[in-house]
Amino acid sequence: MPIVKAYAAESADQPLGPFQLSRREPGPRDVVIDIQFCGVCHSDLHQARNEWGNSTFPMVPGHEIVGRVIAIGADVTSHTPGDPVGVGCFVDSCRACEACAGGEEQFCPTCSFSYNGVEADRVTPTHGGYSTQIVVDERYVLKVPANLPLDAAAPLLCAGITTYSPLRQWGIKAGDKVGVVGLGGLGHMGVKFAAAMGAEVTVFSTSDRKKADAERLGAHHFVNSTVDGAFDALQGAFDFILNTVSANVDLNQYLALLKRDKAMVLVGVPSEPAPVSAFALVMGRKRLTGSLIGGIRETQEMLDFCGQHNIVSDIERIPMQAINEAYERMLKGDVRYRFVIDLASLA
Ligand code: NAP
Ligand code: ZN
Ligand code: ZN
């Protein structure tokens, strides 16, 4: 395999910079993908800066990968050269455990995350989509519907499945009152999906700046969570709350907005723990839970749903060289609503 151009973080306190890596020789079940676009997830930033305390360096982030198949191994049956394909947050798993058998590979104890992880050999570090090529077993390669623009489809591979999955798992249906906390990369996809499922959607955001966007994305109501008394009229009003915030917010304040027996799902992963009051849960038998991306089967289902409903991400395309500035803008909430790297900039 040729040497592949990439961008890497060499340590937690250095900006990302040019890097080279070699991908493995494709085996009989491998698909070689020419990466065209890669979305920029807040998890990339958390890990490049070791905010979760589990980072290994050098790290080539990126798990919202789309491109074209350029070669396949002899035994590959599900993908053909030229196909538009995607790779999400993991590139392998044990294929034998309960999670894998149930199509929930993201919970496999030896899930190979697309970067900051190890390959199936449990030794070789994985490197993600801030690079021009990747080699992945066909089982972990998704089909991107041909009617979707590839650049705007990239964020579906993480932001898309991470918001689609909990809405499906919790059976969101027409008429349900759904709150989405945080209008960033994940949040804006949550709004699109919940609206497409027929829910009445309320966005909770930390300023009024995104109000018009929220409505355009499909939200029916908008709440500036920093305004005194903003929550007063909403106590016990929601069937479901999807919390996508990358920093800690007062969870108790949001639990109070749920109807009896209803759930708030955390998908945002701040690095610090947050206090939860037992009162906020026992009064009304509320549920506080979490969700991690989604399995291969559900990710394909989500992509097909997007193909049918013409759902993609709202993106700002950037060259690879702009990644450090993009991270700073993401920290300021200044993304509308996902940066997507054009890997042609590395050619
Ligand atoms: P993002 O684009 O940066 O969006 C996060 C949003 O949270 C911001 O746009 C902002 O929304 C809000 N926010 C940020 N700081 C805040 C603060 N201090 N107080 C209140 N609100 C704040 O990030 P993302 O890519 O959507 O990722 C969000 C989180 O999900 C990250 O922690 C990421 O690691 C995690 N994640 C989890 C999974 C999973 O499987 N569970 C998958 C992907 C990502 P407003 O401007 O509207 O206030
Ligand atoms: Zn992600
Ligand atoms: Zn497994």
Side-chain angles (χ1 to χ4, degrees):
M1 283 296 289
I3 297 291
V4 168
K5 288 186 184 172
Y7 252 53
E10 298 274 2
S11 71
D13 52 8
Q14 273 177 274
L16 276 70
F19 185 74
Q20 292 197 328
L21 60 100
S22 59
R23 296 293 187 188
R24 66 169 178 263
E25 283 298 330
R29 294 187 187 282
D30 278 338
V31 176
V32 184
I33 301 164
D34 188 14
I35 302 176
Q36 288 175 291
F37 301 102
C38 184
V40 178
C41 180
H42 206 113
S43 303
D44 300 350
L45 187 158
H46 286 309
Q47 292 176 91
R49 299 187 176 179
N50 197 19
E51 290 176 355
W52 294 337
N54 68 345
S55 295
T56 55
F57 298 97
M59 178 193 299
V60 177
H63 58 206
E64 295 184 336
I65 301 167
V66 293
R68 299 267 169 192
V69 176
I70 52 168
I72 53 171
D75 297 340
V76 171
T77 55
S78 41
H79 304 285
T80 312
D83 284 356
V85 291
V87 176
C89 297
F90 54 93
V91 290
D92 219 318
S93 64
C94 84
R95 311 170 189 205
C97 71
E98 206 177 320
C100 287
E104 305 271 22
E105 300 90 346
Q106 72 277 28
F107 299 122
C108 173
T110 59
C111 184
S112 293
F113 290 100
S114 302
Y115 66 88
N116 197 27
V118 286
E119 303 276 1
D121 64 9
R122 311 305 303 149
V123 180
T124 312
T126 52
H127 286 302
Y130 296 8
S131 64
T132 53
Q133 264 185 32
I134 193 167
V135 180
V136 182
D137 185 290
E138 66 167 331
R139 181 174 167 147
Y140 301 87
V141 177
L142 287 308
K143 294 176 191 296
V144 178
N147 60 315
L148 300 182
L150 262 190
D151 52 358
L156 301 177
L157 275 303
C158 175
I161 184 59
T162 300
T163 50
Y164 178 89
S165 178
L167 291 166
R168 279 286 186 240
Q169 296 294 327
W170 288 87
I172 299 312
K173 56 185 190 314
D176 282 350
K177 291 188 166 51
V178 170
V180 175
V181 187
L183 196 63
L186 266 55
H188 95 290
M189 291 310 306
V191 171
K192 290 189 186 203
F193 285 132
M197 292 171 192
E200 184 180 329
V201 183
T202 301
V203 166
F204 294 88
S205 190
T206 52
S207 74
D208 283 323
R209 282 179 296 154
K210 298 176 179 172
K211 187 169 195 284
D213 284 349
E215 281 156 18
R216 180 179 52 77
L217 293 165
H220 305 84
H221 313 282
F222 183 90
V223 176
N224 178 341
S225 57
T226 65
V227 170
D228 272 351
F231 291 56
D232 291 355
L234 299 172
Q235 303 293 303
F238 288 88
D239 295 289
F240 186 77
I241 296 177
L242 184 66
N243 185 340
T244 76
V245 177
S246 50
N248 272 327
V249 293
D250 181 355
L251 298 179
N252 305 301
Q253 193 180 18
Y254 285 102
L255 287 166
L257 305 189
L258 291 169
K259 295 179 186 171
R260 177 165 54 81
D261 288 324
K262 300 300 182 184
M264 173 157 70
V265 173
L266 307 182
V267 288
V269 189
S271 46
E272 297 301 322
V276 176
S277 153
F279 277 110
L281 294 169
V282 302
M283 303 304 284
R285 208 160 44 200
K286 311 285 175 67
R287 299 158 189 206
L288 177 61
T289 180
S291 189
L292 178 70
I293 42 178
I296 291 293
R297 191 168 58 216
E298 196 176 42
T299 305
Q300 190 62 60
E301 177 193 306
M302 177 275 309
L303 285 168
D304 296 343
F305 181 89
C306 289
Q308 282 150 20
H309 294 261
N310 267 306
I311 294 176
V312 286
S313 184
D314 286 30
I315 63 162
E316 179 176 337
R317 252 162 91 157
I318 58 166
M320 186 73 257
Q321 294 76 8
I323 188 65
N324 296 303
E325 185 194 335
Y327 279 6
E328 291 310 315
R329 284 183 54 197
M330 188 155 63
L331 283 173
K332 287 188 260 172
D334 176 24
V335 196
R336 309 232 168 160
Y337 277 88
R338 197 61 143 184
F339 290 119
V340 170
I341 302 161
D342 181 352
L343 271 312
S345 60
L346 272 190

